[in-house]
Amino acid sequence: MSNTVILTQSDGVAVLTLNRPDKLNALNAELLEQLESMLYSVQTDRSIRVVVITGSGPKAFAAGADIAELNAQDAYSGRLFAERGQRVFNLIERLGKPVIAAVNGFALGGGCELAMACHIRFASDNARFGQPEINLGIIPGYGGTQRLPRLVGSAKALELILSGDLVLATDALTMGLVNRVYPAAELLTATMTFATSLATKAPLALTACLEAVQLADDTSMLEGLHGEANLFGRICGTHDFKEGTQAFVEKRQATFTGS
Ligand code: COA
């Protein structure tokens, strides 16, 4: 088995690097399996508070599902193929820790869908985004038809999904698909600076923020507000909440322990 995903760790931040640069980090079954297993391990590791996902090589974050594997699917296996990718991407979305995509080049098809499953996206100025599945005679299957309209609205999402056109990082920024754009040489450093700063914040409150904002996609306004109040109450019972407010009163830096 090759190392199709590499895990490194520093200052509470785990970096998962997709590692098939000769295939533009296309998401094959082996890569998805390794990614899933590493996600489970960072999820349960209390020393990891934030996760960054990026691609190896100068050209691609991920150029999509592996087209050679895709080509072998039929009506039955195709559904399972889509559900497999969706499971891994849902795990990212529901990881309980902030996941930041550092999009260092092409983010196409499954690569764009992977970036969209992350909570925040930073891109290099040479990144390109798109859902080009239509050009292969198929539709997005790893969540693109659901997450793209939620991020950019259904009109823009349909423009991309129906045309298969790629957009520049600056256009992705304008439409709300990415949070920030950096010169390529600065992307990883800037992402790590942001991630390391998130890693100093109260972990249980970070998790509650993720859960609460997810409710905005999953439920009605009233259910979402109900959920927000429940989460707020839960966090008021934590040691870190007492520490954060006490530190403010005492004019000192808070130290959060995740309890
Ligand atoms: N699946 C499998 N292999 C892929 C791939 C994918 N999604 N995307 C790129 N590759 C492979 C190429 O086959 C090539 O392999 P080879 O050197 O063994 O022939 C290698 O990665 C480099 O790609 P190449 O096409 O030569 O690079 P390029 O710079 O000329 O073009 C792209 C870059 C991204 C425009 C082009 O690779 C592309 O269109 N890829 C497919 C994108 C796509 O449709 N994604 C959705 C899939 S559902």
Side-chain angles (χ1 to χ4, degrees), residues 1 22 39 45 58 124 129 136 145-146 161 192 251:
M1 200 164 80
D22 53 326
L39 286 165
D45 183 339
S124 59
F129 293 80
L136 302 169
T145 65
Q146 302 307 303
I161 291 170
M192 290 306 286
K251 299 189 186 306

Side-chain angles (χ1 to χ4, degrees), residues 17 25 31 33 41 65 73 78 82 92 99 112 143 175 177 186 200 211 217 225 230 236 243 246 249 253:
T17 305
N25 303 318
L31 186 151
E33 197 176 322
S41 92
Q73 306 307 316
I92 292 172
V99 184
C112 189
M175 70 175 78
L177 180 51
E186 293 168 24
T200 65
E211 275 181 48
D217 275 346
L225 289 171
N230 280 338
C236 283
E243 163 65 7
Q246 194 63 31
V249 172
Q253 192 73 32

Side-chain angles (χ1 to χ4, degrees), residues 100-235:
I100 305 165
V103 181
N104 57 307
F106 289 115
L108 307 182
C112 189
E113 290 165 310
L114 169 60
M116 289 191 289
C118 297
H119 304 113
I120 289 175
R121 285 154 292 285
F122 291 169
S124 59
D125 52 7
N126 63 337
R128 299 282 180 278
F129 293 80
Q131 297 290 158
E133 289 89 343
I134 195 71
N135 298 326
L136 302 169
I138 197 167
I139 73 168
Y142 288 176
T145 65
Q146 302 307 303
R147 291 198 175 95
L148 190 55
R150 281 171 168 78
L151 278 169
V152 305
S154 48
K156 262 290 166 207
L158 279 171
E159 185 183 330
L160 288 179
I161 291 170
L162 295 178
S163 69
D165 286 349
L166 309 192
V167 295
L168 302 171
T170 45
D171 295 330
L173 181 66
T174 307
M175 70 175 78
L177 180 51
V178 300
N179 296 71
R180 299 182 191 176
V181 176
Y182 291 100
E186 293 168 24
L187 174 68
L188 208 52
T189 307
T191 306
M192 290 306 286
T193 301
F194 183 79
T196 305
S197 129
L198 290 195
T200 65
K201 300 191 190 296
L204 296 174
L206 286 175
T207 304
C209 290
L210 293 170
E211 275 181 48
V213 172
Q214 187 63 46
L215 288 173
D217 275 346
D218 292 348
T219 66
S220 70
M221 180 73 155
L222 277 182
E223 285 172 301
L225 289 171
H226 180 69
E228 180 187 85
N230 280 338
L231 287 161
F232 188 89
R234 195 168 89 196
I235 295 301

